[in-house]
DNA sequence: GCCAACGTTGGC
DNA sequence: GCCAACGTTGGC
């Protein structure tokens, strides 16, 4: 079974790499985009590597590494009328949204900024993060891209 | 705060 | 099924 690599965005004011370090493992609730869900539901395996990206930050960039912690399961917030992520069209019998837990692995020695990543666009090849207008919060990363990015650290 | 990009919704 | 309106993302 091929191991996969990912990049997942989080706004550090909401949930940062330091928050992940503090709690150890965190259910990645609230993803309400089908493409992102499909990656989590269909392709993520326990132990997959995750680049933890700080979006809407100054500056934005890759802040740390996490691991997929366990198998995908139904996002409980979709059934909670009190939650911002409540989805009245979903039900426990037929859940619409799946998530995985992320486990903290380590912070990078330094932030690898979006600006710096852009400078390596040619070497990285087709990288989802750099595609024009990309807003996906969960995206695949090739093993070669993973290695290349971490060599910048 | 602005705004381009783009996903979703809902009327028809 | 089309597509205009609307909401969100996220860099700047």
């Amino acid at each position: 079974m091929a191991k996969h690599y990912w990049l997942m965005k989080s706004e550090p004011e909401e949930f940062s790499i330091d928050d992940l370090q503090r709690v150890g493992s965190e259910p990645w609730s609230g993803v309400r985009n089908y493409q992102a869900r499909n990656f989590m539901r269909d392709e993520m395996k326990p132990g997959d590597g995750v680049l933890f990206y700080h979006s809407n930050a100054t500056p934005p960039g890759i802040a740390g590494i996490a691991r997929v912690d366990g198998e995908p399961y139904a996002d409980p917030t979709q059934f909670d009328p009190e939650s911002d992520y409540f989805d009245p069209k979903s039900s426990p019998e037929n859940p619409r949204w799946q998530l995985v837990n992320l486990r903290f692995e380590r912070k990078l020695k330094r932030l690898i900024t979006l600006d710096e990543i852009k400078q390596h666009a040619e070497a990285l090849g087709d990288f989802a993060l750099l595609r024009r207008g990309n807003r996906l919060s969960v995206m695949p990363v090739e093993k070669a891209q993973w290695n290349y990015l971490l060599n910048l650290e």
Side-chain angles (χ1 to χ4, degrees):
Chain A
M1 181 196 324
K3 180 180 174 65
H4 290 161
Y5 297 90
W6 308 95
L7 182 146
M8 295 171 77
K9 296 177 183 171
S10 184
E11 303 196 13
E13 289 198 6
E14 299 295 322
F15 193 86
S16 71
I17 189 72
D18 292 317
D19 294 322
L20 186 63
Q21 181 169 29
R22 190 174 320 116
V23 299
S25 184
E26 176 75 5
W28 212 245
S29 56
V31 171
R32 295 293 180 268
N33 170 283
Y34 289 103
Q35 213 179 337
R37 176 206 66 182
N38 291 347
F39 286 136
M40 291 198 287
R41 183 188 65 185
D42 303 333
E43 298 191 41
M44 282 193 183
K45 301 294 178 198
D48 278 1
V50 177
L51 298 172
F52 195 99
Y53 178 89
H54 282 173
S55 65
N56 252 322
T58 49
I62 299 166
I65 297 175
R67 295 281 164 188
V68 174
D69 192 18
E71 301 285 345
Y73 60 98
D75 181 345
T77 63
Q78 69 194 305
F79 310 127
D80 176 7
E82 301 298 308
S83 170
D84 287 344
Y85 303 123
F86 178 61
D87 184 346
K89 293 176 183 167
S90 191
S91 66
E93 296 71 33
N94 189 18
R96 177 179 290 195
W97 304 108
Q98 300 277 120
L99 54 67
V100 296
N101 281 33
L102 290 191
R103 173 162 293 282
F104 178 81
E105 179 157 311
R106 67 179 179 91
K107 291 173 71 171
L108 297 193
K109 298 186 200 85
R110 65 181 187 86
L111 188 77
I112 298 175
T113 64
L114 177 61
D115 186 59
E116 184 176 357
I117 295 167
K118 284 177 177 172
Q119 292 170 25
H120 293 273
E122 199 168 335
L124 286 165
D126 184 25
F127 188 34
L129 185 70
L130 300 181
R131 280 184 209 141
R132 189 156 174 266
N134 164 66
R135 296 183 313 164
L136 261 187
S137 62
V138 177
M139 64 187 73
V141 177
E142 298 294 323
K143 182 165 176 33
Q145 293 169 334
W146 170 278
N147 290 334
Y148 187 92
L149 289 164
L150 291 181
N151 278 332
L152 297 176
E153 186 180 359

